[in-house]
Amino acid sequence: HRMPLADRLGWDARPSSAGELADLCEELILRANAIRMTLPEDENGVVAPPFATEEVLALIPAAYEKLSDTIEWMGGRYAAPKPVLASRPMCFTEITGIFSPFTLEANVNVAVPYPLLGANAAHEAAHQRGFAREDEANFIAFMACRASDDEYLTYSGLLLAAIHAMNALYGADQDAHRTLHALYCEG
C-alpha cells in the first residue's frame, strides 16, 4: 500500500512509446559499453572482479548515501547487504537475493555473474529501504549504482537497466531490439 515511487519523486510515469524506449536502450547500451571498455577482464573476456565480493557489498551503503545528495530520503544508516551462504543452490531457483523483513537484512546470492552482483545488492538494499515492488527496487538500484563513484558499480547498474529496457523493447519492437542488440560491445 506504499505510495508509488514515481508519485513520491513527483515524476509523470506514463507508458512510453517504442521510440522512446529504443532511445533509452541506445543510451544505456552506449554508456555501458564505454565503461565496459575500461574494466579489467579475466582470460575469458569477462569482467574480472576488481575486488572481493565483500568489498562489492560494502560499496552499496556509500552509493545510497551519494544518491541521497539528490534524493534526500534515500540515505540513512543501513548495513551492507550480506552474502547468502547457500548461493550456489540458490542459483537453481533463479533467486538473486532475499530481503528479510524480520531482521531488516538484505541478503545477496553471490554466485550470480559478477557483472550483476553490485546491481543485485543495490536491488536488495532498495527493499531494505522499504520499496517492495520489484520494478521499483530495480529502478532504485540503477539510480544508486549510477550515483556511485565506483565504475564497476555504475556499470553493474547500467547493465541491469539495459537488460530490463531491452526486454521491454523486444516486446514493443523486435526490429529496433535487433538493431540495438548489435550495438553491444563484445565484452
Side-chain angles (χ1 to χ4, degrees), residues 59-81:
L59 293 172
I60 303 305
Y64 274 93
E65 273 308 307
K66 185 89 168 163
L67 180 59
S68 74
D69 291 347
T70 54
I71 305 171
E72 187 177 323
W73 43 267
M74 284 290 178
R77 296 186 61 200
Y78 295 91

Side-chain angles (χ1 to χ4, degrees), residues 25 161 171 175:
C25 289
D175 291 333

Side-chain angles (χ1 to χ4, degrees), residues 79-122:
K82 294 182 176 182
V84 172
L85 295 177
S87 286
R88 289 242 181 256
M90 223 172 144
C91 290
F92 292 103
T93 66
E94 297 184 13
I95 296 173
T96 59
I98 298 172
F99 171 71
S100 171
F102 306 108
T103 61
L104 301 178
E105 293 175 326
N107 300 279
V108 180
N109 176 344
V110 294
V112 298
Y114 189 80
L116 287 171
L117 177 62
N120 289 344

Side-chain angles (χ1 to χ4, degrees), residues 22-33 158 180 183:
D23 289 344
L24 171 65
C25 289
E26 182 174 11
E27 182 175 340
L28 291 169
I29 291 167
L30 294 177
R31 284 184 181 189
N33 284 349
L158 286 166
L180 290 172
L183 294 179

